[in-house]
Amino acid sequence: MVDFIGELTLPVLIVVILILSQSIKMVNEYERVVIFRLGRLSEVKGPGIFLIIPIIDKAIKIDLRVIAIDVPKQAVITRDNVTVEVDAVVYYKVVEPGAAITQVENYMFATSTLSQTTLRDVLGQMELDELLSERENINKQIQELLDAYTDPWGIKVTGVTIRDVSLPETMKRAIAKQAEAEREKRARIILAEGEFQAAERMKDAATLYQGVPTAIKLRELQTLAEIAREKNLIVVTESKSPDTGNIAALSKAISEKKEL
């Protein structure tokens, strides 16, 4: 009898060990386990060690860390009929493991597909200039739309980044010409403003010289002194026309006569 009990204990012990090995589960801090009992959602467990009922319970592990989706390049036609290729990166994480399993068949594939369609829909409503200059606002808008769509799935979209915008070669050349023309326009405006300011100062100087005729002669002598300081060979000849002082005096006399 003792031998029979001994022979029976060993198989029972093996069965118990097998049951415990299937019952004891352990998940990491960043993981959760969704448990279905007889086909019905029972509870969400983790992290750490917990027990399930073998055969009756079914456990599905969910990762709660942020997941990055590399959205492949999408051909988008903007509102001003320009075809561009845009790729982006979408960051999301699971916040409700139960909803991520029960509300959508494959939350990873669904989120990736939704990211592609939302990217095309949003960019298709914008012009090329907006797409190139307002990326931050576009990222925020896409994130808000994705977050609203995926909220019933227990998923939180934490960020969207447009990584690259590829333009056709013809459009690149057109943009380069536009930028060159814009820079040339600015250069001409700056040059014209400089000429205007210089003319204003020359006008003021002429008015000053008209009031003090000897000042222009002193300015002439100062210029000659500056040239001589450079040790250059300069030959100064008298002009057949009246000297500068006489010209200034004559101009003053004519102006006084007109006033009379």
Side-chain angles (χ1 to χ4, degrees):
M1 185 68 179
V2 177
D3 295 338
F4 176 75
I5 295 175
E7 293 176 359
L8 185 62
T9 302
L10 182 60
V12 171
L13 183 61
I14 294 175
V15 172
V16 171
I17 293 175
L18 290 176
I19 293 174
L20 289 176
S21 65
Q22 296 297 321
S23 300
I24 298 175
K25 299 293 182 181
M26 183 182 68
V27 293
N28 297 320
E29 180 67 30
Y30 53 84
E31 296 174 328
R32 298 294 183 273
V33 170
V34 180
I35 298 176
F36 289 87
R37 182 162 296 166
L38 297 177
R40 298 178 62 88
L41 178 62
S42 175
E43 56 183 329
V44 178
K45 291 188 176 182
I49 298 176
F50 56 90
L51 297 175
I52 64 172
I53 303 174
I55 302 175
I56 296 178
D57 289 346
K58 178 182 178 182
I60 301 177
K61 187 183 296 185
I62 298 293
D63 195 327
L64 301 184
R65 291 177 294 183
V66 175
I67 301 174
I69 299 177
D70 185 6
V71 181
K73 283 191 175 182
Q74 304 293 311
V76 179
I77 300 178
T78 60
R79 190 169 61 183
D80 49 352
N81 297 323
V82 179
T83 302
V84 296
E85 291 185 351
V86 182
D87 64 335
V89 180
V90 177
Y91 302 91
Y92 73 94
K93 63 180 180 179
V94 178
V95 293
E96 296 182 11
I101 297 299
T102 59
Q103 299 299 321
V104 62
E105 179 181 2
N106 187 334
Y107 68 89
M108 290 185 178
F109 177 76
T111 305
S112 177
T113 306
L114 182 62
S115 301
Q116 298 177 27
T117 56
T118 305
L119 180 66
R120 289 196 298 266
D121 292 342
V122 172
L123 299 184
Q125 300 174 4
M126 297 185 175
E127 295 185 355
L128 180 61
D129 292 339
E130 296 176 342
L131 175 59
L132 297 177
S133 61
E134 299 183 4
R135 290 196 183 184
E136 184 175 353
N137 294 332
I138 295 173
N139 293 339
K140 185 177 180 180
Q141 184 176 352
I142 296 175
Q143 177 185 349
E144 291 176 351
L145 289 174
L146 287 176
D147 197 24
Y149 288 141
T150 58
D151 184 65
W153 304 343
I155 293 174
K156 172 66 177 178
V157 178
T158 59
V160 176
T161 302
I162 295 178
R163 187 166 55 181
D164 185 30
V165 178
S166 299
L167 299 175
E169 291 297 329
T170 54
M171 184 56 61
K172 290 181 180 179
R173 290 195 294 269
I175 293 176
K177 290 181 181 178
Q178 180 183 1
E180 183 179 358
E182 183 68 23
R183 291 189 180 93
E184 185 176 356
K185 182 187 74 173
R186 293 178 183 177
R188 290 184 178 181
I189 291 174
I190 294 173
L191 181 61
E193 290 179 353
E195 291 291 338
F196 178 78
Q197 294 177 6
E200 288 286 339
R201 301 304 296 170
M202 291 178 66
K203 177 183 176 182
D204 296 340
T207 303
L208 177 63
Y209 289 147
Q210 184 178 4
V212 186
T214 56
I216 192 171
K217 187 63 178 178
L218 293 175
R219 179 72 180 116
E220 179 183 357
L221 295 176
Q222 183 181 5
T223 303
L224 293 176
E226 291 177 356
I227 296 174
R229 192 179 300 115
E230 299 295 331
K231 298 181 180 180
N232 294 325
L233 179 62
I234 300 176
V235 178
V236 181
T237 59
E238 294 184 357
S239 174
K240 295 181 180 180
S241 60
D243 59 9
T244 307
N246 294 335
I247 293 175
L250 183 60
S251 299
K252 182 177 181 182
I254 293 173
S255 61
E256 291 177 352
K257 184 178 182 181
K258 288 183 179 179
E259 291 177 357
L260 296 176

